[in-house]
Amino acid sequence: LQKGEAFAREIVALEKLGADTKALNALKPLAQGAPSTQKLAQDFAALTSAMLRATQAAPDSEDLVDRISRSAASLVRIRPVGDTTQDNAPALIARMETHLQRQDLDAALALFDKLPASAQDIARAWAQSAKTHAQAESATRVLMAQAIQMIAEK
């Protein structure tokens, strides 16, 4: 799962050993391979510019000076980096990037739900892949705990 490689044979072996069915079912959608956490972080980084643009829609009452100012501002983007405490779209996206760099997919996904709909729409496919990956990671933790318990009982 961490490397993004297929693991269908491992699932079959775990089924034969009587591993937790619910955990195995969470892994099956990714059995042929899935993006690693690092790949998910890279994919998210590629979406951030479009997400930021989507959250900065032009107001209806914009005059020529406003349009020129907005156009000039689009040439250079200044946005927060790292752990910022603000809850606006640029700050949330920056915090998501930080969590993804730390491979904390759950924290990044929690922030995704706070983003404006316009930003979420752009990254919806990414979020679905990330959620599936996070569920699979949770399932692997369940399977590891079960394996440790089985070893301890012998």
Side-chain angles (χ1 to χ4, degrees), residues 83-122:
D83 282 333
T84 176
T85 57
Q86 299 173 4
D87 273 342
N88 57 40
L92 290 169
I93 290 168
R95 291 196 339 242
M96 287 178 69
E97 286 180 305
T98 298
H99 288 304
L100 290 169
Q101 289 168 358
R102 296 176 184 158
Q103 298 191 355
D104 189 349
L105 201 51
D106 291 330
L109 286 168
L111 293 174
F112 179 82
D113 293 335
K114 295 180 178 182
L115 287 170
S118 58
Q120 286 185 9
D121 289 344
I122 290 170

PDB file of all heavy atoms in Angstrom, residues 83-122:
ATOM      1  N   ASP A  83       1.794  25.527   8.631  1.00  0.00           N
ATOM      2  CA  ASP A  83       0.716  25.509   9.609  1.00  0.00           C
ATOM      3  C   ASP A  83       0.259  26.923   9.925  1.00  0.00           C
ATOM      4  O   ASP A  83       0.875  27.630  10.701  1.00  0.00           O
ATOM      5  CB  ASP A  83       1.182  24.829  10.911  1.00  0.00           C
ATOM      6  CG  ASP A  83       1.204  23.328  10.781  1.00  0.00           C
ATOM      7  OD1 ASP A  83       0.423  22.804   9.966  1.00  0.00           O
ATOM      8  OD2 ASP A  83       1.992  22.683  11.484  1.00  0.00           O
ATOM      9  N   THR A  84      -0.814  27.319   9.310  1.00  0.00           N
ATOM     10  CA  THR A  84      -1.418  28.601   9.593  1.00  0.00           C
ATOM     11  C   THR A  84      -2.745  28.337  10.293  1.00  0.00           C
ATOM     12  O   THR A  84      -3.358  27.306  10.068  1.00  0.00           O
ATOM     13  CB  THR A  84      -1.614  29.433   8.312  1.00  0.00           C
ATOM     14  OG1 THR A  84      -2.287  30.634   8.650  1.00  0.00           O
ATOM     15  CG2 THR A  84      -2.387  28.697   7.263  1.00  0.00           C
ATOM     16  N   THR A  85      -3.178  29.228  11.126  1.00  0.00           N
ATOM     17  CA  THR A  85      -4.394  28.979  11.903  1.00  0.00           C
ATOM     18  C   THR A  85      -5.639  29.533  11.233  1.00  0.00           C
ATOM     19  O   THR A  85      -6.734  29.343  11.737  1.00  0.00           O
ATOM     20  CB  THR A  85      -4.263  29.607  13.313  1.00  0.00           C
ATOM     21  OG1 THR A  85      -4.009  31.002  13.160  1.00  0.00           O
ATOM     22  CG2 THR A  85      -3.159  28.938  14.099  1.00  0.00           C
ATOM     23  N   GLN A  86      -5.481  30.205  10.113  1.00  0.00           N
ATOM     24  CA  GLN A  86      -6.636  30.777   9.421  1.00  0.00           C
ATOM     25  C   GLN A  86      -7.482  29.669   8.794  1.00  0.00           C
ATOM     26  O   GLN A  86      -7.004  28.567   8.539  1.00  0.00           O
ATOM     27  CB  GLN A  86      -6.179  31.749   8.342  1.00  0.00           C
ATOM     28  CG  GLN A  86      -5.382  32.917   8.885  1.00  0.00           C
ATOM     29  CD  GLN A  86      -4.801  33.766   7.758  1.00  0.00           C
ATOM     30  OE1 GLN A  86      -5.051  33.539   6.591  1.00  0.00           O
ATOM     31  NE2 GLN A  86      -4.003  34.747   8.135  1.00  0.00           N
ATOM     32  N   ASP A  87      -8.748  29.977   8.533  1.00  0.00           N
ATOM     33  CA  ASP A  87      -9.638  28.990   7.921  1.00  0.00           C
ATOM     34  C   ASP A  87     -10.140  29.419   6.554  1.00  0.00           C
ATOM     35  O   ASP A  87     -11.168  28.947   6.096  1.00  0.00           O
ATOM     36  CB  ASP A  87     -10.827  28.698   8.847  1.00  0.00           C
ATOM     37  CG  ASP A  87     -10.521  27.608   9.850  1.00  0.00           C
ATOM     38  OD1 ASP A  87      -9.551  26.861   9.634  1.00  0.00           O
ATOM     39  OD2 ASP A  87     -11.242  27.507  10.842  1.00  0.00           O
ATOM     40  N   ASN A  88      -9.406  30.302   5.870  1.00  0.00           N
ATOM     41  CA  ASN A  88      -9.790  30.646   4.505  1.00  0.00           C
ATOM     42  C   ASN A  88      -9.193  29.595   3.558  1.00  0.00           C
ATOM     43  O   ASN A  88      -8.358  28.784   3.951  1.00  0.00           O
ATOM     44  CB  ASN A  88      -9.343  32.067   4.150  1.00  0.00           C
ATOM     45  CG  ASN A  88      -7.854  32.260   4.329  1.00  0.00           C
ATOM     46  OD1 ASN A  88      -7.063  31.386   4.001  1.00  0.00           O
ATOM     47  ND2 ASN A  88      -7.462  33.406   4.861  1.00  0.00           N
ATOM     48  N   ALA A  89      -9.639  29.600   2.316  1.00  0.00           N
ATOM     49  CA  ALA A  89      -9.216  28.565   1.364  1.00  0.00           C
ATOM     50  C   ALA A  89      -7.693  28.480   1.199  1.00  0.00           C
ATOM     51  O   ALA A  89      -7.134  27.379   1.281  1.00  0.00           O
ATOM     52  CB  ALA A  89      -9.900  28.765   0.022  1.00  0.00           C
ATOM     53  N   PRO A  90      -6.981  29.595   0.987  1.00  0.00           N
ATOM     54  CA  PRO A  90      -5.527  29.472   0.835  1.00  0.00           C
ATOM     55  C   PRO A  90      -4.850  28.857   2.066  1.00  0.00           C
ATOM     56  O   PRO A  90      -3.943  28.033   1.934  1.00  0.00           O
ATOM     57  CB  PRO A  90      -5.070  30.915   0.619  1.00  0.00           C
ATOM     58  CG  PRO A  90      -6.258  31.612   0.043  1.00  0.00           C
ATOM     59  CD  PRO A  90      -7.437  30.976   0.711  1.00  0.00           C
ATOM     60  N   ALA A  91      -5.309  29.222   3.248  1.00  0.00           N
ATOM     61  CA  ALA A  91      -4.709  28.674   4.469  1.00  0.00           C
ATOM     62  C   ALA A  91      -5.040  27.192   4.629  1.00  0.00           C
ATOM     63  O   ALA A  91      -4.176  26.396   5.008  1.00  0.00           O
ATOM     64  CB  ALA A  91      -5.195  29.457   5.688  1.00  0.00           C
ATOM     65  N   LEU A  92      -6.268  26.814   4.331  1.00  0.00           N
ATOM     66  CA  LEU A  92      -6.651  25.399   4.432  1.00  0.00           C
ATOM     67  C   LEU A  92      -5.852  24.552   3.450  1.00  0.00           C
ATOM     68  O   LEU A  92      -5.371  23.468   3.796  1.00  0.00           O
ATOM     69  CB  LEU A  92      -8.151  25.238   4.171  1.00  0.00           C
ATOM     70  CG  LEU A  92      -9.079  25.782   5.248  1.00  0.00           C
ATOM     71  CD1 LEU A  92     -10.520  25.817   4.751  1.00  0.00           C
ATOM     72  CD2 LEU A  92      -8.968  24.965   6.527  1.00  0.00           C
ATOM     73  N   ILE A  93      -5.686  25.055   2.240  1.00  0.00           N
ATOM     74  CA  ILE A  93      -4.917  24.327   1.227  1.00  0.00           C
ATOM     75  C   ILE A  93      -3.457  24.201   1.659  1.00  0.00           C
ATOM     76  O   ILE A  93      -2.848  23.132   1.521  1.00  0.00           O
ATOM     77  CB  ILE A  93      -5.058  25.009  -0.149  1.00  0.00           C
ATOM     78  CG1 ILE A  93      -6.494  24.809  -0.669  1.00  0.00           C
ATOM     79  CG2 ILE A  93      -4.035  24.478  -1.145  1.00  0.00           C
ATOM     80  CD1 ILE A  93      -6.859  25.662  -1.866  1.00  0.00           C
ATOM     81  N   ALA A  94      -2.896  25.256   2.220  1.00  0.00           N
ATOM     82  CA  ALA A  94      -1.506  25.209   2.703  1.00  0.00           C
ATOM     83  C   ALA A  94      -1.365  24.182   3.823  1.00  0.00           C
ATOM     84  O   ALA A  94      -0.386  23.421   3.856  1.00  0.00           O
ATOM     85  CB  ALA A  94      -1.070  26.586   3.194  1.00  0.00           C
ATOM     86  N   ARG A  95      -2.324  24.151   4.740  1.00  0.00           N
ATOM     87  CA  ARG A  95      -2.267  23.168   5.833  1.00  0.00           C
ATOM     88  C   ARG A  95      -2.430  21.750   5.303  1.00  0.00           C
ATOM     89  O   ARG A  95      -1.774  20.821   5.778  1.00  0.00           O
ATOM     90  CB  ARG A  95      -3.321  23.489   6.896  1.00  0.00           C
ATOM     91  CG  ARG A  95      -2.964  24.755   7.631  1.00  0.00           C
ATOM     92  CD  ARG A  95      -3.669  25.029   8.941  1.00  0.00           C
ATOM     93  NE  ARG A  95      -4.907  24.399   9.248  1.00  0.00           N
ATOM     94  CZ  ARG A  95      -6.066  25.041   9.453  1.00  0.00           C
ATOM     95  NH1 ARG A  95      -6.129  26.356   9.347  1.00  0.00           N
ATOM     96  NH2 ARG A  95      -7.146  24.382   9.780  1.00  0.00           N
ATOM     97  N   MET A  96      -3.285  21.580   4.295  1.00  0.00           N
ATOM     98  CA  MET A  96      -3.429  20.259   3.687  1.00  0.00           C
ATOM     99  C   MET A  96      -2.101  19.800   3.078  1.00  0.00           C
ATOM    100  O   MET A  96      -1.701  18.644   3.262  1.00  0.00           O
ATOM    101  CB  MET A  96      -4.524  20.271   2.616  1.00  0.00           C
ATOM    102  CG  MET A  96      -5.926  20.349   3.171  1.00  0.00           C
ATOM    103  SD  MET A  96      -7.183  20.411   1.869  1.00  0.00           S
ATOM    104  CE  MET A  96      -7.030  18.741   1.202  1.00  0.00           C
ATOM    105  N   GLU A  97      -1.438  20.704   2.387  1.00  0.00           N
ATOM    106  CA  GLU A  97      -0.139  20.363   1.796  1.00  0.00           C
ATOM    107  C   GLU A  97       0.862  19.954   2.877  1.00  0.00           C
ATOM    108  O   GLU A  97       1.609  18.989   2.709  1.00  0.00           O
ATOM    109  CB  GLU A  97       0.415  21.533   0.984  1.00  0.00           C
ATOM    110  CG  GLU A  97      -0.295  21.741  -0.320  1.00  0.00           C
ATOM    111  CD  GLU A  97       0.263  22.911  -1.100  1.00  0.00           C
ATOM    112  OE1 GLU A  97       0.319  24.030  -0.559  1.00  0.00           O
ATOM    113  OE2 GLU A  97       0.647  22.689  -2.267  1.00  0.00           O
ATOM    114  N   THR A  98       0.866  20.669   3.979  1.00  0.00           N
ATOM    115  CA  THR A  98       1.772  20.348   5.083  1.00  0.00           C
ATOM    116  C   THR A  98       1.464  18.955   5.637  1.00  0.00           C
ATOM    117  O   THR A  98       2.374  18.153   5.856  1.00  0.00           O
ATOM    118  CB  THR A  98       1.664  21.408   6.202  1.00  0.00           C
ATOM    119  OG1 THR A  98       2.062  22.669   5.660  1.00  0.00           O
ATOM    120  CG2 THR A  98       2.553  21.059   7.382  1.00  0.00           C
ATOM    121  N   HIS A  99       0.198  18.663   5.848  1.00  0.00           N
ATOM    122  CA  HIS A  99      -0.181  17.339   6.363  1.00  0.00           C
ATOM    123  C   HIS A  99       0.196  16.240   5.367  1.00  0.00           C
ATOM    124  O   HIS A  99       0.666  15.168   5.771  1.00  0.00           O
ATOM    125  CB  HIS A  99      -1.677  17.277   6.662  1.00  0.00           C
ATOM    126  CG  HIS A  99      -2.076  18.056   7.873  1.00  0.00           C
ATOM    127  ND1 HIS A  99      -1.524  17.846   9.121  1.00  0.00           N
ATOM    128  CD2 HIS A  99      -2.983  19.051   8.037  1.00  0.00           C
ATOM    129  CE1 HIS A  99      -2.073  18.676   9.991  1.00  0.00           C
ATOM    130  NE2 HIS A  99      -2.953  19.420   9.356  1.00  0.00           N
ATOM    131  N   LEU A 100       0.018  16.505   4.090  1.00  0.00           N
ATOM    132  CA  LEU A 100       0.364  15.498   3.085  1.00  0.00           C
ATOM    133  C   LEU A 100       1.872  15.272   3.021  1.00  0.00           C
ATOM    134  O   LEU A 100       2.315  14.142   2.830  1.00  0.00           O
ATOM    135  CB  LEU A 100      -0.193  15.908   1.718  1.00  0.00           C
ATOM    136  CG  LEU A 100      -1.712  15.824   1.610  1.00  0.00           C
ATOM    137  CD1 LEU A 100      -2.189  16.498   0.337  1.00  0.00           C
ATOM    138  CD2 LEU A 100      -2.175  14.376   1.680  1.00  0.00           C
ATOM    139  N   GLN A 101       2.648  16.325   3.196  1.00  0.00           N
ATOM    140  CA  GLN A 101       4.106  16.166   3.226  1.00  0.00           C
ATOM    141  C   GLN A 101       4.521  15.306   4.415  1.00  0.00           C
ATOM    142  O   GLN A 101       5.515  14.588   4.354  1.00  0.00           O
ATOM    143  CB  GLN A 101       4.793  17.526   3.284  1.00  0.00           C
ATOM    144  CG  GLN A 101       4.689  18.294   1.982  1.00  0.00           C
ATOM    145  CD  GLN A 101       5.116  19.743   2.137  1.00  0.00           C
ATOM    146  OE1 GLN A 101       5.460  20.206   3.208  1.00  0.00           O
ATOM    147  NE2 GLN A 101       5.079  20.480   1.027  1.00  0.00           N
ATOM    148  N   ARG A 102       3.755  15.373   5.497  1.00  0.00           N
ATOM    149  CA  ARG A 102       4.020  14.562   6.698  1.00  0.00           C
ATOM    150  C   ARG A 102       3.347  13.191   6.617  1.00  0.00           C
ATOM    151  O   ARG A 102       3.374  12.435   7.583  1.00  0.00           O
ATOM    152  CB  ARG A 102       3.519  15.297   7.940  1.00  0.00           C
ATOM    153  CG  ARG A 102       4.236  16.582   8.208  1.00  0.00           C
ATOM    154  CD  ARG A 102       3.633  17.302   9.387  1.00  0.00           C
ATOM    155  NE  ARG A 102       4.279  18.590   9.590  1.00  0.00           N
ATOM    156  CZ  ARG A 102       3.747  19.604  10.238  1.00  0.00           C
ATOM    157  NH1 ARG A 102       2.550  19.495  10.788  1.00  0.00           N
ATOM    158  NH2 ARG A 102       4.394  20.736  10.357  1.00  0.00           N
ATOM    159  N   GLN A 103       2.707  12.916   5.480  1.00  0.00           N
ATOM    160  CA  GLN A 103       1.976  11.682   5.226  1.00  0.00           C
ATOM    161  C   GLN A 103       0.825  11.472   6.204  1.00  0.00           C
ATOM    162  O   GLN A 103       0.494  10.346   6.563  1.00  0.00           O
ATOM    163  CB  GLN A 103       2.919  10.480   5.195  1.00  0.00           C
ATOM    164  CG  GLN A 103       3.940  10.592   4.098  1.00  0.00           C
ATOM    165  CD  GLN A 103       4.716   9.319   3.872  1.00  0.00           C
ATOM    166  OE1 GLN A 103       4.573   8.339   4.599  1.00  0.00           O
ATOM    167  NE2 GLN A 103       5.531   9.310   2.842  1.00  0.00           N
ATOM    168  N   ASP A 104       0.198  12.560   6.613  1.00  0.00           N
ATOM    169  CA  ASP A 104      -0.966  12.505   7.499  1.00  0.00           C
ATOM    170  C   ASP A 104      -2.217  12.739   6.654  1.00  0.00           C
ATOM    171  O   ASP A 104      -2.774  13.832   6.607  1.00  0.00           O
ATOM    172  CB  ASP A 104      -0.837  13.562   8.605  1.00  0.00           C
ATOM    173  CG  ASP A 104      -1.910  13.402   9.662  1.00  0.00           C
ATOM    174  OD1 ASP A 104      -2.872  12.621   9.450  1.00  0.00           O
ATOM    175  OD2 ASP A 104      -1.799  14.066  10.706  1.00  0.00           O
ATOM    176  N   LEU A 105      -2.638  11.680   5.996  1.00  0.00           N
ATOM    177  CA  LEU A 105      -3.755  11.742   5.072  1.00  0.00           C
ATOM    178  C   LEU A 105      -5.065  12.071   5.785  1.00  0.00           C
ATOM    179  O   LEU A 105      -5.884  12.836   5.276  1.00  0.00           O
ATOM    180  CB  LEU A 105      -3.857  10.397   4.343  1.00  0.00           C
ATOM    181  CG  LEU A 105      -4.583  10.338   3.031  1.00  0.00           C
ATOM    182  CD1 LEU A 105      -4.097  11.393   2.062  1.00  0.00           C
ATOM    183  CD2 LEU A 105      -4.433   8.948   2.427  1.00  0.00           C
ATOM    184  N   ASP A 106      -5.267  11.509   6.970  1.00  0.00           N
ATOM    185  CA  ASP A 106      -6.506  11.763   7.719  1.00  0.00           C
ATOM    186  C   ASP A 106      -6.672  13.246   8.044  1.00  0.00           C
ATOM    187  O   ASP A 106      -7.757  13.808   7.901  1.00  0.00           O
ATOM    188  CB  ASP A 106      -6.543  10.935   9.009  1.00  0.00           C
ATOM    189  CG  ASP A 106      -6.687   9.447   8.730  1.00  0.00           C
ATOM    190  OD1 ASP A 106      -7.295   9.078   7.706  1.00  0.00           O
ATOM    191  OD2 ASP A 106      -6.185   8.642   9.544  1.00  0.00           O
ATOM    192  N   ALA A 107      -5.600  13.901   8.472  1.00  0.00           N
ATOM    193  CA  ALA A 107      -5.668  15.332   8.801  1.00  0.00           C
ATOM    194  C   ALA A 107      -5.947  16.164   7.546  1.00  0.00           C
ATOM    195  O   ALA A 107      -6.726  17.119   7.591  1.00  0.00           O
ATOM    196  CB  ALA A 107      -4.378  15.786   9.469  1.00  0.00           C
ATOM    197  N   ALA A 108      -5.324  15.797   6.432  1.00  0.00           N
ATOM    198  CA  ALA A 108      -5.558  16.521   5.181  1.00  0.00           C
ATOM    199  C   ALA A 108      -7.010  16.373   4.736  1.00  0.00           C
ATOM    200  O   ALA A 108      -7.644  17.342   4.307  1.00  0.00           O
ATOM    201  CB  ALA A 108      -4.610  16.027   4.093  1.00  0.00           C
ATOM    202  N   LEU A 109      -7.551  15.180   4.870  1.00  0.00           N
ATOM    203  CA  LEU A 109      -8.939  14.947   4.473  1.00  0.00           C
ATOM    204  C   LEU A 109      -9.922  15.692   5.372  1.00  0.00           C
ATOM    205  O   LEU A 109     -10.962  16.165   4.907  1.00  0.00           O
ATOM    206  CB  LEU A 109      -9.249  13.455   4.457  1.00  0.00           C
ATOM    207  CG  LEU A 109      -8.643  12.700   3.281  1.00  0.00           C
ATOM    208  CD1 LEU A 109      -8.749  11.195   3.493  1.00  0.00           C
ATOM    209  CD2 LEU A 109      -9.314  13.111   1.978  1.00  0.00           C
ATOM    210  N   ALA A 110      -9.603  15.808   6.636  1.00  0.00           N
ATOM    211  CA  ALA A 110     -10.470  16.560   7.551  1.00  0.00           C
ATOM    212  C   ALA A 110     -10.538  18.028   7.126  1.00  0.00           C
ATOM    213  O   ALA A 110     -11.604  18.658   7.199  1.00  0.00           O
ATOM    214  CB  ALA A 110      -9.962  16.438   8.983  1.00  0.00           C
ATOM    215  N   LEU A 111      -9.430  18.571   6.657  1.00  0.00           N
ATOM    216  CA  LEU A 111      -9.418  19.957   6.184  1.00  0.00           C
ATOM    217  C   LEU A 111     -10.124  20.099   4.836  1.00  0.00           C
ATOM    218  O   LEU A 111     -10.729  21.135   4.555  1.00  0.00           O
ATOM    219  CB  LEU A 111      -7.985  20.475   6.081  1.00  0.00           C
ATOM    220  CG  LEU A 111      -7.253  20.638   7.408  1.00  0.00           C
ATOM    221  CD1 LEU A 111      -5.798  21.010   7.168  1.00  0.00           C
ATOM    222  CD2 LEU A 111      -7.940  21.676   8.274  1.00  0.00           C
ATOM    223  N   PHE A 112     -10.061  19.071   4.024  1.00  0.00           N
ATOM    224  CA  PHE A 112     -10.729  19.110   2.713  1.00  0.00           C
ATOM    225  C   PHE A 112     -12.213  19.413   2.880  1.00  0.00           C
ATOM    226  O   PHE A 112     -12.794  20.179   2.111  1.00  0.00           O
ATOM    227  CB  PHE A 112     -10.543  17.775   1.975  1.00  0.00           C
ATOM    228  CG  PHE A 112     -11.220  17.746   0.637  1.00  0.00           C
ATOM    229  CD1 PHE A 112     -10.606  18.294  -0.477  1.00  0.00           C
ATOM    230  CD2 PHE A 112     -12.477  17.171   0.487  1.00  0.00           C
ATOM    231  CE1 PHE A 112     -11.235  18.280  -1.716  1.00  0.00           C
ATOM    232  CE2 PHE A 112     -13.109  17.156  -0.752  1.00  0.00           C
ATOM    233  CZ  PHE A 112     -12.485  17.709  -1.851  1.00  0.00           C
ATOM    234  N   ASP A 113     -12.818  18.833   3.888  1.00  0.00           N
ATOM    235  CA  ASP A 113     -14.249  19.037   4.119  1.00  0.00           C
ATOM    236  C   ASP A 113     -14.584  20.473   4.503  1.00  0.00           C
ATOM    237  O   ASP A 113     -15.733  20.879   4.424  1.00  0.00           O
ATOM    238  CB  ASP A 113     -14.750  18.077   5.198  1.00  0.00           C
ATOM    239  CG  ASP A 113     -14.706  16.626   4.735  1.00  0.00           C
ATOM    240  OD1 ASP A 113     -14.753  16.383   3.514  1.00  0.00           O
ATOM    241  OD2 ASP A 113     -14.613  15.730   5.595  1.00  0.00           O
ATOM    242  N   LYS A 114     -13.595  21.253   4.916  1.00  0.00           N
ATOM    243  CA  LYS A 114     -13.808  22.658   5.292  1.00  0.00           C
ATOM    244  C   LYS A 114     -13.629  23.612   4.108  1.00  0.00           C
ATOM    245  O   LYS A 114     -13.945  24.788   4.220  1.00  0.00           O
ATOM    246  CB  LYS A 114     -12.832  23.072   6.399  1.00  0.00           C
ATOM    247  CG  LYS A 114     -13.053  22.350   7.708  1.00  0.00           C
ATOM    248  CD  LYS A 114     -12.049  22.825   8.743  1.00  0.00           C
ATOM    249  CE  LYS A 114     -12.265  22.149  10.081  1.00  0.00           C
ATOM    250  NZ  LYS A 114     -11.322  22.654  11.094  1.00  0.00           N
ATOM    251  N   LEU A 115     -13.111  23.113   2.996  1.00  0.00           N
ATOM    252  CA  LEU A 115     -12.876  23.963   1.827  1.00  0.00           C
ATOM    253  C   LEU A 115     -14.195  24.410   1.195  1.00  0.00           C
ATOM    254  O   LEU A 115     -15.196  23.692   1.274  1.00  0.00           O
ATOM    255  CB  LEU A 115     -12.070  23.203   0.767  1.00  0.00           C
ATOM    256  CG  LEU A 115     -10.599  22.967   1.043  1.00  0.00           C
ATOM    257  CD1 LEU A 115     -10.024  22.001   0.021  1.00  0.00           C
ATOM    258  CD2 LEU A 115      -9.836  24.279   1.029  1.00  0.00           C
ATOM    259  N   PRO A 116     -14.185  25.553   0.531  1.00  0.00           N
ATOM    260  CA  PRO A 116     -15.380  25.967  -0.210  1.00  0.00           C
ATOM    261  C   PRO A 116     -15.708  24.949  -1.304  1.00  0.00           C
ATOM    262  O   PRO A 116     -14.812  24.258  -1.819  1.00  0.00           O
ATOM    263  CB  PRO A 116     -14.976  27.309  -0.835  1.00  0.00           C
ATOM    264  CG  PRO A 116     -13.760  27.746  -0.111  1.00  0.00           C
ATOM    265  CD  PRO A 116     -13.107  26.521   0.445  1.00  0.00           C
ATOM    266  N   ALA A 117     -16.971  24.868  -1.658  1.00  0.00           N
ATOM    267  CA  ALA A 117     -17.423  23.892  -2.661  1.00  0.00           C
ATOM    268  C   ALA A 117     -16.670  24.036  -3.979  1.00  0.00           C
ATOM    269  O   ALA A 117     -16.361  23.035  -4.632  1.00  0.00           O
ATOM    270  CB  ALA A 117     -18.921  24.026  -2.881  1.00  0.00           C
ATOM    271  N   SER A 118     -16.353  25.268  -4.364  1.00  0.00           N
ATOM    272  CA  SER A 118     -15.649  25.478  -5.631  1.00  0.00           C
ATOM    273  C   SER A 118     -14.278  24.803  -5.634  1.00  0.00           C
ATOM    274  O   SER A 118     -13.851  24.256  -6.658  1.00  0.00           O
ATOM    275  CB  SER A 118     -15.507  26.972  -5.923  1.00  0.00           C
ATOM    276  OG  SER A 118     -14.818  27.625  -4.868  1.00  0.00           O
ATOM    277  N   ALA A 119     -13.591  24.816  -4.520  1.00  0.00           N
ATOM    278  CA  ALA A 119     -12.283  24.146  -4.418  1.00  0.00           C
ATOM    279  C   ALA A 119     -12.469  22.638  -4.312  1.00  0.00           C
ATOM    280  O   ALA A 119     -11.708  21.868  -4.910  1.00  0.00           O
ATOM    281  CB  ALA A 119     -11.516  24.671  -3.210  1.00  0.00           C
ATOM    282  N   GLN A 120     -13.466  22.200  -3.563  1.00  0.00           N
ATOM    283  CA  GLN A 120     -13.734  20.768  -3.434  1.00  0.00           C
ATOM    284  C   GLN A 120     -14.066  20.146  -4.781  1.00  0.00           C
ATOM    285  O   GLN A 120     -13.636  19.029  -5.072  1.00  0.00           O
ATOM    286  CB  GLN A 120     -14.875  20.515  -2.457  1.00  0.00           C
ATOM    287  CG  GLN A 120     -14.499  20.717  -1.012  1.00  0.00           C
ATOM    288  CD  GLN A 120     -15.637  20.345  -0.075  1.00  0.00           C
ATOM    289  OE1 GLN A 120     -16.649  19.789  -0.472  1.00  0.00           O
ATOM    290  NE2 GLN A 120     -15.457  20.664   1.193  1.00  0.00           N
ATOM    291  N   ASP A 121     -14.836  20.862  -5.601  1.00  0.00           N
ATOM    292  CA  ASP A 121     -15.221  20.327  -6.911  1.00  0.00           C
ATOM    293  C   ASP A 121     -14.007  19.984  -7.758  1.00  0.00           C
ATOM    294  O   ASP A 121     -13.984  18.965  -8.443  1.00  0.00           O
ATOM    295  CB  ASP A 121     -16.113  21.322  -7.657  1.00  0.00           C
ATOM    296  CG  ASP A 121     -17.498  21.442  -7.040  1.00  0.00           C
ATOM    297  OD1 ASP A 121     -17.885  20.561  -6.233  1.00  0.00           O
ATOM    298  OD2 ASP A 121     -18.194  22.423  -7.357  1.00  0.00           O
ATOM    299  N   ILE A 122     -12.991  20.818  -7.702  1.00  0.00           N
ATOM    300  CA  ILE A 122     -11.780  20.593  -8.503  1.00  0.00           C
ATOM    301  C   ILE A 122     -11.015  19.369  -8.020  1.00  0.00           C
ATOM    302  O   ILE A 122     -10.437  18.636  -8.812  1.00  0.00           O
ATOM    303  CB  ILE A 122     -10.897  21.858  -8.477  1.00  0.00           C
ATOM    304  CG1 ILE A 122     -11.604  22.941  -9.290  1.00  0.00           C
ATOM    305  CG2 ILE A 122      -9.489  21.585  -9.006  1.00  0.00           C
ATOM    306  CD1 ILE A 122     -11.011  24.299  -9.172  1.00  0.00           C
TER     307      ILE A 122
END
